[in-house]
Every structure is written in C-alpha cells, then in structure tokens.
Amino acid sequence: MTQLQAPPPEAPPPSQPSASQGDAPLAPGLAQRLIRYYERHERTVDILAFVGGFLFDIVTLSRVDAWTSMLQQLAYLTLISAVLLQMFADEGRPPRDLAALARVKRLYFEYRTPIVHFFLGSLLSLYTLFFFKSSSLLVSFAFLLLLVAALVINEWKRFKARGLAFKFVLLSLCLLSFAAVIVPVFVGSVGTAVFLLSMAVGSAPVLIVDHWIRKRAQQRVAQARRQIIVPFGIVLAAFLALYLFRLIPPVPLSIPFIGVYHGVEKTSAGYRLLHEEPRWRFWQHGDQHFLAQPGDKVYVFFRIFSPTRFSDQVTMRWFWKPKGRGWMLQDAIPIAIVGGRAEGFRGYGVKSNYQPGDWKVQVETTDAREIGRVYFNVEPVPEAQREFEVSLQ
C-alpha cells in the first residue's frame, strides 16, 4: 500500500533587511526626487524658472546706483570670468577623473557650466530692465531686442553646450553693459565722452587677460584670439554702432512719470497737477486729450530719475504734426537736473502758443538721446465752467 507522505515544509522566506541594516535601500530623499522631477519636466521647469526669475527681477529691481546692486554685479562678473578662464585653461588637457576628486571639486566640475549660465541669465535680465527703463521701447527696440535675445538664448539647452566662444560673447555683453551703467553713475553725467569712457573701462579686463596670456602662455594666443578677443570685439563693435545710431538708451537716466496738465503749482507738499481726466483712467497721466479753452497753457510735467551726485541737463522738445505731414519741432526747452531724490527730479515745461492737432514732447539728453516721451492732442473748445482734478507729485 502506498503511503502518503506530507510535503516537505516550505523554506521560510528570506528575511527582509530592516531599515536599520547598512545595505538596505534607502528611500530617495527630497533632493533625489527633485532631480528626477526636473529630468522628466526639464523644458517646463526651465520656462517657468526663466519667467519667474525675470518677474522676480522686476519686483526686486533696486536703484541703479545702489552699492549692494553694484557689488553684486561685480561679484557675478568676477565669478563668471574666473570659471570661463579656468575652462579656457582646461581645453586640450586630458579629462579629469571626477570620481577621484573631493566632493566639492567634483560638484564644481560637474555643474560649472549651469552655474555660469545661471549668473549670466541673472545679469542679462538685470541689464534688460535697466535699459528698458531708460528709454521708450520704440527708440531702444534694437538694443533691447539684442539683450532679450541673449537672455533667451542663454536658457536654451543647445546653446548651454556650445563652446567657450559663445559664452565669452555673453560675458562681453554683460561686461560692457555693466560699464555703460556704472561709469555715468561715478562721473555724474552722460554723453558721448562718458559712453566712450565706459567702453574703455569695459574693455580693460579683456585687455589685461590678453596681455597676461601673451606674456605667460604664448601657446594659447591663437586660442585666446578665437575664443575671447574676437567675440569681445564683435560685441564692442555692436555697442559702438548702436550708440552711433542712437539705439542705446541713456542709462542711468530714466523717466518713471510724464504727463500733460492744465496747470502745475509748486507747494510745500509737492507739485499740484491740475487735469480734467478722471482718476480712474490710470493708464493716462493728465489730459492727453487736451480740451483747450481760450487762454489755456499746456504743461508737461515729468519725474526723471538720476543717481546721487548726478548733475546734468536735459532738453524738452515739443513737436507738432500738421495734417498730412510729419512731426515738426516747435520748441526746445533746456532744464538742469540734479540727482539723489528717490522719486526722481521733478520738472516741467509750459507752452502758451500752440496749434490744434497731434503733439508729442520728448525729453532728451544733451546729445539728443531720448529718455522718455508723451503723446497728446489739442482740441479747442469754447470757454465754459469746469472743475479740475488734483494730483500731487
């Protein structure tokens, strides 16, 4: 008779290592989860970071003559220059064994390119905002387009992997923009001589590096010319050409406020501005549709920001546009300005002899570079009783 045998007992399942065992797989930490999320949504995160960073710069933008801002820009430029020069010196050498390096050095060599592009993006957004505030968009469109294009290109992954020449183009753009902003702050005026001085100041670091390479690393002169000198020369030539055609805004000057009024009265509390337009039309400053009763005068009031210890002169140019013709200069009023006031130097011009039709007033530097403008039209109306709104500046 066949005996039934019980099946052998199952082997107990292997014990799972507890969380305390050294070889246990650890749950990914926050840093690892963020890295994985970024790798899955890299394009979306890059776009959001770009837009968010630009908006953050708008909100936190400080005065152009703030010491903290100037020192921060100088620190960024120094860091970028040091990293790019170290990358320049690395070219042609055998690749490093990153695994054999200390953690800090390994992280530096792994992430130095993203670090450079991060700080370049921060500087480019800052200079885009500085130059945007210093002129009307129409006048400085070409230069602003150049800065915005550089800002966007800096965020593209394919350009982040480009060679050093393109990175030195972006650095050159930042160096010359920094000099164009800072030199007038220290000189206390703007103009052709000051601009040329700023270009010389911006060129000095590149000339020093070129001199050092010629003295200490003759074998790299051709490489330096190709990757550093030629890119810088192209950017410098672009700056000079744009300045010649009056397409570079007159930083550090800017006009945060300009409007048209029926009256301007200086009081101990500030300037009282009289206008007919209701307050809810916040997109207009004063009477840009000017209803002119007999005896009325047209006042154009403005606030112009200029750095501390700044002393210069601007010109208000009044233009009239007859029907079927172009703009005709009617008057030019020089106004001396001084800097230092946080809200900007306040000034105004007045015109009592005018014709009906379209008008514009441009505020310009002494070398005819526009800082700001306002458009308005004048319509004659019969004399009648009216009440003015009052704004205080």
Side-chain angles (χ1 to χ4, degrees):
M1 221 180 134
T2 305
Q3 291 183 338
L4 297 176
Q5 295 181 350
E10 294 183 1
S15 60
Q16 300 295 325
S18 66
S20 61
Q21 289 177 291
D23 56 350
L26 299 176
L30 177 61
Q32 288 82 1
R33 292 199 297 272
L34 290 175
I35 291 173
R36 291 174 185 173
Y37 180 86
Y38 175 74
E39 290 173 347
R40 291 196 303 269
H41 307 88
E42 182 176 358
R43 182 181 296 273
T44 303
V45 173
D46 283 349
I47 293 174
L48 291 177
F50 172 78
V51 175
F54 194 77
L55 293 176
F56 178 79
D57 286 339
I58 293 177
V59 174
T60 60
L61 186 66
S62 59
R63 287 170 56 105
V64 70
D65 59 343
W67 280 101
T68 53
S69 175
M70 290 189 287
L71 291 175
Q72 180 186 24
Q73 295 169 60
L74 187 59
Y76 285 5
L77 288 169
T78 302
L79 176 64
I80 295 167
S81 301
V83 174
L84 290 185
L85 288 174
Q86 194 272 322
M87 294 171 70
F88 171 83
D90 265 2
E91 287 208 344
R93 294 179 178 175
R96 289 179 174 83
D97 181 7
L98 297 183
L101 295 177
R103 178 178 176 80
V104 174
K105 285 187 176 181
R106 185 174 71 253
L107 291 174
Y108 164 75
F109 285 109
E110 286 179 346
Y111 296 105
R112 60 183 178 179
T113 297
I115 289 172
V116 163
H117 282 273
F118 173 82
F119 287 115
L120 282 171
S122 178
L123 288 174
L124 288 169
S125 65
L126 181 68
Y127 297 135
T128 301
L129 293 171
F130 277 154
F131 283 101
F132 176 77
K133 290 178 64 176
S134 291
S135 185
S136 63
L137 183 59
L138 290 176
V139 171
S140 57
F141 179 77
F143 186 71
L144 289 173
L145 185 62
L146 173 66
L147 284 177
V148 172
L151 183 61
V152 173
I153 287 173
N154 183 63
E155 299 299 321
W156 285 4
K157 189 174 182 180
R158 68 177 64 179
F159 282 98
K160 290 182 180 181
R162 293 281 181 179
L164 280 177
F166 179 73
K167 296 176 177 62
F168 275 109
V169 165
L170 295 180
L171 175 59
S172 302
L173 186 56
C174 290
L175 274 174
L176 293 178
S177 296
F178 174 74
V181 171
I182 297 304
V183 169
V185 171
F186 286 96
V187 174
S189 63
V190 295
T192 302
V194 176
F195 177 79
L196 293 177
L197 175 62
S198 69
M199 294 297 97
V201 171
S203 302
V206 178
L207 295 177
I208 292 172
V209 169
D210 181 60
H211 177 75
W212 189 91
I213 291 174
R214 290 179 182 276
K215 287 288 186 180
R216 303 293 183 88
Q218 278 286 334
Q219 72 279 10
R220 291 188 178 270
V221 170
Q223 179 191 355
R225 183 185 302 113
R226 184 178 66 256
Q227 295 184 332
I228 301 176
I229 306 304
V230 171
F232 179 81
I234 292 172
V235 176
L236 178 60
F239 263 79
L240 295 174
L242 290 169
Y243 186 84
L244 178 65
F245 291 102
R246 292 185 169 85
L247 295 175
I248 291 186
V251 289
L253 301 179
S254 63
I255 289 186
F257 184 94
I258 184 170
V260 184
Y261 297 91
H262 275 80
V264 176
E265 302 172 0
K266 186 176 182 179
T267 68
S268 58
Y271 284 84
R272 296 179 72 248
L273 311 179
L274 309 180
H275 57 98
E276 293 185 285
E277 293 288 356
R279 294 176 183 270
W280 60 267
R281 291 192 177 182
F282 58 88
W283 62 90
Q284 292 186 351
H285 291 159
D287 296 317
Q288 291 184 245
H289 178 56
F290 192 94
L291 301 178
Q293 295 190 16
D296 278 352
K297 297 179 180 180
V298 180
Y299 292 80
V300 172
F301 175 89
F302 64 88
R303 282 191 287 109
I304 182 169
F305 170 80
S306 56
T308 305
R309 298 183 302 277
F310 195 93
S311 179
D312 209 330
Q313 181 175 291
V314 297
T315 303
M316 294 187 70
R317 298 187 185 275
W318 298 68
F319 294 88
W320 174 55
K321 188 177 184 181
K323 289 185 178 179
R325 300 177 64 183
W327 292 105
M328 300 175 60
L329 179 65
Q330 299 295 297
D331 208 350
I333 304 172
I335 299 176
I337 63 170
V338 293
R341 189 172 182 271
E343 293 80 13
F345 175 86
R346 295 167 296 183
Y348 66 92
V350 58
K351 192 164 185 62
S352 54
N353 297 319
Y354 50 84
Q355 298 87 5
D358 295 328
W359 286 79
K360 71 174 178 177
V361 171
Q362 295 179 184
V363 181
E364 302 175 351
T365 60
T366 52
D367 57 347
R369 299 181 188 280
E370 183 183 325
I371 311 170
R373 66 171 68 180
V374 63
Y375 291 94
F376 61 99
N377 63 79
V378 175
E379 178 186 349
V381 296
E383 186 172 356
Q385 187 175 1
R386 58 189 172 183
E387 292 186 3
F388 288 119
E389 297 275 344
V390 178
S391 299
L392 191 65
Q393 285 287 329

